[in-house]
Amino acid sequence: MVPKGRLIIANIRSNQSKPEFSQFISGNKPERIEIITTVLRSEAHLKNEYCSMLRKLGYEDIGFIHMLDIDFLESDYRDRIIKTNLVCFMDGHFDICHVLKCTSIWKLLYEKYLFYENFKIIGINKGANCLAEIIMRKKGVSKGLGFVPHCIIDTSVSGNTSSKELVYSTVINNECLGIRIPMETLMIVERGCDVHCMGDMPLLIFNARSIERNYIEKVKKGSSVYVKNLKGYILSQGGTFNLHIDRVSVL
């Protein structure tokens, strides 16, 4: 089924983020944003950072759903998810994927993403990585939330080192595309497969689907290798990339 909702995946780190970013999140500034997080209420400094970033984009009505709080009750938050059209992940705790999938909130989120045109799921910085099917970790990979199927998303700030890690993870998990989102850049996903870029820097997309499986099994992390049939795409603003057919088109 083609999802009716939209994904906004952003790598925003500057205090001077472009105002156009907030328009893609929502032109309705009074609208409430619900942040789903594994940050505890006691970690107030992280909560303040999240609020500060969204307030700089013009949003004031911000709610938090703390997945790991000892008094967390799913029923307390279902109505809040039902009433909002904006749900945001800004979390650097990869456990959020495992925790969320053990709740009924996960099913509700996915149903709204499939059936509601105005519904948007926002992933910012490390929270963006969690929306992919696979997440890169220091020791291998783990399952993400899967809103961007068959993809690995990288929003880290370590530059060339990060890109090498992404290429390696893409080659080893060659059923997935690897997508690198540079700083101050947005990736918008519509209809579950059409990817758009917004920002001064292009998205880098790596495709290892044509690499033979028996070759992949010989690849060791940290070693220098020559990879045949590894493809790369550069998607700049104004272009569209289709995740299903691996093709870039320019508007």
Side-chain angles (χ1 to χ4, degrees):
M1 180 175 179
V2 178
K4 293 184 178 180
R6 173 185 280 186
L7 303 177
I8 311 292
I9 301 173
N11 193 348
I12 302 175
R13 310 205 181 244
S14 168
N15 291 333
Q16 301 298 325
S17 295
K18 295 184 178 181
E20 294 93 332
F21 286 4
S22 65
Q23 295 302 315
F24 269 92
I25 293 175
S26 174
N28 182 13
K29 295 297 176 67
E31 189 165 13
R32 184 174 176 86
I33 297 179
E34 294 288 357
I35 296 178
I36 298 179
T37 178
T38 51
V39 170
L40 300 178
R41 295 178 193 273
S42 59
E43 299 178 271
H45 65 288
L46 291 174
K47 180 176 177 179
N48 291 336
E49 286 179 14
Y50 295 170
C51 287
S52 176
M53 180 175 290
L54 289 170
R55 283 172 180 150
K56 286 173 183 175
L57 293 173
Y59 302 95
E60 294 292 337
D61 193 359
I62 303 167
F64 284 82
I65 297 176
H66 301 268
M67 302 295 296
L68 294 184
D69 269 6
I70 194 169
D71 59 348
F72 171 79
L73 293 173
E74 294 177 36
S75 57
D76 292 345
Y77 296 107
R78 286 186 62 84
D79 284 346
R80 283 168 54 176
I81 295 292
I82 290 170
K83 291 176 181 177
T84 187
N85 285 321
L86 294 171
V87 172
C88 185
F89 293 87
M90 302 178 73
D91 206 9
H93 297 214
F94 292 130
D95 288 341
I96 194 170
C97 300
H98 172 73
V99 173
L100 183 60
K101 284 186 175 180
C102 292
T103 72
S104 62
I105 291 177
W106 156 249
K107 183 178 180 181
L108 176 59
L109 281 172
Y110 202 76
E111 286 178 349
K112 290 201 71 171
Y113 174 58
L114 285 178
F115 298 115
Y116 290 82
E117 290 185 5
N118 294 326
F119 187 65
K120 295 172 185 171
I121 295 177
I122 307 158
I124 297 179
N125 301 344
K126 288 184 179 180
N129 301 348
C130 296
L131 298 183
E133 183 167 321
I134 289 179
I135 302 172
M136 291 192 302
R137 306 188 75 162
K138 289 183 178 180
K139 296 182 179 180
V141 296
S142 63
K143 283 286 186 181
L145 294 173
F147 285 103
V148 191
H150 308 300
C151 285
I152 306 170
I153 293 173
D154 177 31
T155 58
S156 57
V157 296
S158 51
N160 291 335
T161 301
S162 173
S163 294
K164 290 177 183 178
E165 293 288 332
L166 178 60
V167 170
Y168 172 80
S169 297
T170 304
V171 169
I172 296 300
N173 303 277
N174 75 326
E175 71 282 1
C176 292
L177 297 170
I179 304 178
R180 168 77 175 153
I181 305 178
M183 287 191 292
E184 305 307 317
T185 301
L186 265 68
M187 182 175 93
I188 299 100
V189 183
E190 296 177 324
R191 292 175 290 278
C193 64
D194 292 333
V195 173
H196 308 277
C197 172
M198 180 181 175
D200 295 333
M201 299 293 292
L203 302 179
L204 302 179
I205 304 172
F206 301 100
N207 179 352
R209 290 171 176 167
S210 298
I211 298 176
E212 295 181 8
R213 194 73 211 175
N214 60 354
Y215 178 83
I216 293 172
E217 293 170 354
K218 300 176 183 178
V219 177
K220 294 183 179 180
K221 191 170 184 177
S223 61
S224 297
V225 294
Y226 170 78
V227 180
K228 186 177 181 181
N229 294 326
L230 176 66
K231 300 177 183 178
Y233 307 91
I234 297 175
L235 182 65
S236 57
Q237 186 163 303
T240 302
F241 183 86
N242 189 294
L243 296 173
H244 293 168
I245 60 177
D246 305 342
R247 187 171 66 192
V248 175
S249 60
V250 179
L251 299 178

